[in-house]
């Protein structure tokens, strides 16, 4: 595979409370990324399917932009970009920052002892059969996530979050800071909703242990009756991150991740509301244009991950 192209990347501080970020370019390639990339990895390029062919190369627009208004304590931002949630860079259970980009609107408030974040995105619906993921896509599908975080100690923070995938209509209620489970119950409760618990502990400066528990479907009634032969569709990610100061080591990660069977999966009925086929569009699975919104691991798998980043000289 040969790829490349011109691009312009930058950040502008328009005023003390307004900033703009942009990444504008053209991406040319002779072979699709998916054909040459390692398994369970995702492209760093955000492209569209409507390419221009020049000889053996296909040229695609590769652009992102973002506008933020506010201060360090409270701000809103909007644009088309890749957004992430959680401490595990590049591959998080709920919202991974290396997933396909999406138009998004986000709000963040930091109150010191507690903080709140909220994001809503417009994502693409792909076919149930998984074919032509990037070429066959429909809009009218949305993703929302919000989180409340408390800091009982200077070294400890605990976050509770909810995420929801919904489609075939835009529901302004998912922009409201209210429990998503309650919002879903106002309608037919067919939206794809999840919840999670994130714990971060930093005993010393530069060292952090993080654990993320992501629950897709967890029948509490069965579990309380000690019936564990039930739908336990969860993801768990736990690990340590080490980033010492004044050394060549910039960041080291060691973590373990497990994704239970059928996690992230969700069906989408056809127009008749009674059946679904493999060639119909899925407006409720945890995907954006056929690419996972969360972690790149498929259901029914686990992984031990290690990475280290060094900067020997500035």
């Amino acid at each position: 595979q040969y790829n490349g192209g011109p691009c312009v990347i930058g950040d502008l501080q328009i005023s003390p409370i307004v900033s703009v970020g942009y990444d504008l370019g053209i991406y040319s390639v002779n072979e699709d990324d998916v054909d040459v990339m390692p398994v369970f990895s995702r492209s760093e390029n955000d492209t569209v399917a409507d390419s221009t062919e020049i000889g053996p190369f296909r040229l695609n627009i590769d652009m992102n932009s973002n506008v933020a208004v506010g201060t360090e304590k409270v701000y809103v931002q909007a644009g088309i970009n890749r957004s992430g949630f959680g401490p595990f860079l590049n591959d998080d259970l709920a919202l991974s920052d290396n997933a396909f980009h999406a138009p998004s609107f986000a709000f963040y408030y930091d109150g010191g002892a507690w903080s709140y974040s909220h994001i809503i995105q417009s994502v693409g619906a792909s076919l149930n059969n998984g074919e032509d993921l990037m070429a066959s896509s429909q809009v009218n599908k949305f993703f929302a996530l919000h989180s409340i975080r408390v800091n009982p100690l200077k070294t400890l923070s605990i976050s509770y979050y909810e995420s929801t995938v919904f489609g075939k209509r835009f529901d302004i209620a998912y922009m409201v800071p209210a429990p998503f489970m309650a919002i879903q119950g106002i309608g037919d409760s067919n939206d794809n909703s999840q919840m999670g618990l994130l714990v971060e502990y930093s005993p010393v400066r530069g060292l952090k242990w993080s654990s993320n528990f992501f629950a897709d479907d967890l029948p509490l009634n069965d579990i309380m009756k000690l019936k564990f032969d039930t739908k336990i569709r969860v993801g768990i990610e736990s690990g340590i991150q080490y980033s010492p100061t004044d050394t060549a080591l910039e960041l080291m990660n060691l973590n373990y991740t497990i994704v239970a069977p059928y996690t992230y999966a969700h069906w989408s009925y056809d127009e008749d509301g009674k059946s679904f086929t493999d060639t119909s569009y899925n407006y409720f699975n945890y995907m954006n244009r056929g690419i996972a919104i969360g972690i790149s691991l498929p259901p029914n798998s686990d992984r031990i991950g290690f990475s280290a980043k060094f900067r020997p000289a500035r």
Side-chain angles (χ1 to χ4, degrees):
Q1 183 202 54
Y2 301 93
N3 66 70
C7 67
V8 178
I9 303 172
D11 297 290
L12 300 175
Q13 190 74 37
I14 306 299
S15 75
I17 63 169
V18 180
S19 60
V20 177
Y22 58 89
D23 179 359
L24 313 175
I26 297 175
Y27 172 61
S28 62
V29 63
N30 65 323
E31 295 289 343
D32 291 333
D33 287 354
V34 68
D35 294 330
V36 297
M37 291 174 59
V39 68
F40 307 145
S41 60
R42 291 183 279 216
S43 174
E44 295 183 358
N45 299 287
D46 293 307
T47 63
V48 295
D50 188 15
S51 59
T52 300
E53 294 188 6
I54 300 180
F57 289 91
R58 297 190 302 276
L59 274 63
N60 295 277
I61 295 174
D62 191 12
M63 297 183 178
N64 289 285
S65 63
N66 204 57
V67 177
V69 179
T71 66
E72 291 184 358
K73 281 191 170 296
V74 56
Y75 65 83
V76 295
Q77 64 179 24
I80 179 169
N81 48 49
R82 297 190 182 198
S83 301
F85 172 79
F88 299 101
L89 297 177
N90 302 321
D91 222 10
D92 200 272
L93 289 168
L95 179 60
S96 179
D97 57 313
N98 72 346
F100 195 68
H101 69 173
S104 62
F105 177 84
F107 168 81
Y108 181 77
Y109 170 75
D110 184 1
W114 68 281
S115 61
Y116 178 79
S117 59
H118 197 125
I119 188 171
I120 188 165
Q121 298 180 324
S122 174
V123 297
S126 52
L127 297 175
N128 273 324
N129 61 14
E131 296 179 2
D132 298 325
L133 294 179
M134 298 300 290
S136 301
S137 186
Q138 293 287 329
V139 292
N140 209 19
K141 179 179 178 180
F142 303 93
F143 171 81
L145 181 145
H146 64 177
S147 165
I148 185 166
R149 174 178 173 174
V150 295
N151 305 301
L153 302 171
K154 289 185 177 180
T155 58
L156 177 67
S157 68
I158 302 172
S159 303
Y160 171 78
Y161 65 89
E162 293 178 305
S163 61
T164 298
V165 183
F166 61 101
K168 296 187 178 181
R169 95 281 184 203
F170 177 74
D171 194 339
I172 196 173
Y174 284 114
M175 299 183 69
V176 175
F180 286 172
M181 295 296 177
I183 292 174
Q184 180 184 222
I186 296 175
D188 55 10
S189 296
N190 282 334
D191 296 336
N192 184 13
S193 297
Q194 302 80 28
M195 64 180 66
L197 188 67
L198 172 62
V199 179
E200 300 172 88
Y201 176 61
S202 301
V204 295
R205 184 177 180 181
L207 178 66
K208 182 168 70 172
W209 167 74
S210 305
S211 287
N212 189 2
F213 178 78
F214 176 88
D216 186 355
D217 196 349
L218 200 62
L220 296 179
N221 288 338
D222 290 344
I223 294 176
M224 291 178 66
K225 297 175 183 178
L226 302 181
K227 295 180 179 179
F228 297 104
D229 186 14
T230 183
K231 295 182 295 182
I232 302 179
R233 291 159 47 173
V234 300
I236 302 173
E237 192 169 14
S238 183
I240 58 173
Q241 300 173 71
Y242 181 52
S243 181
T245 57
D246 301 325
T247 68
L249 175 62
E250 198 165 72
L251 178 65
M252 182 174 66
N253 281 290
L254 176 63
N255 58 64
Y256 174 74
T257 308
I258 183 170
V259 183
Y262 303 106
T263 306
Y264 301 113
H266 205 86
W267 65 84
S268 182
Y269 285 115
D270 291 339
E271 294 300 326
D272 60 9
K274 299 178 181 179
S275 60
F276 60 93
T277 60
D278 62 347
T279 55
S280 62
Y281 285 96
N282 194 321
Y283 292 92
F284 298 98
N285 60 1
Y286 217 82
M287 290 190 171
N288 177 12
R289 295 199 64 161
I291 299 174
I293 295 173
I295 202 164
S296 59
L297 286 180
N300 196 25
S301 60
D302 65 345
R303 176 183 66 193
I304 297 174
F306 172 79
S307 66
K309 182 179 180 180
F310 297 90
R311 188 189 292 266
R314 290 293 171 184

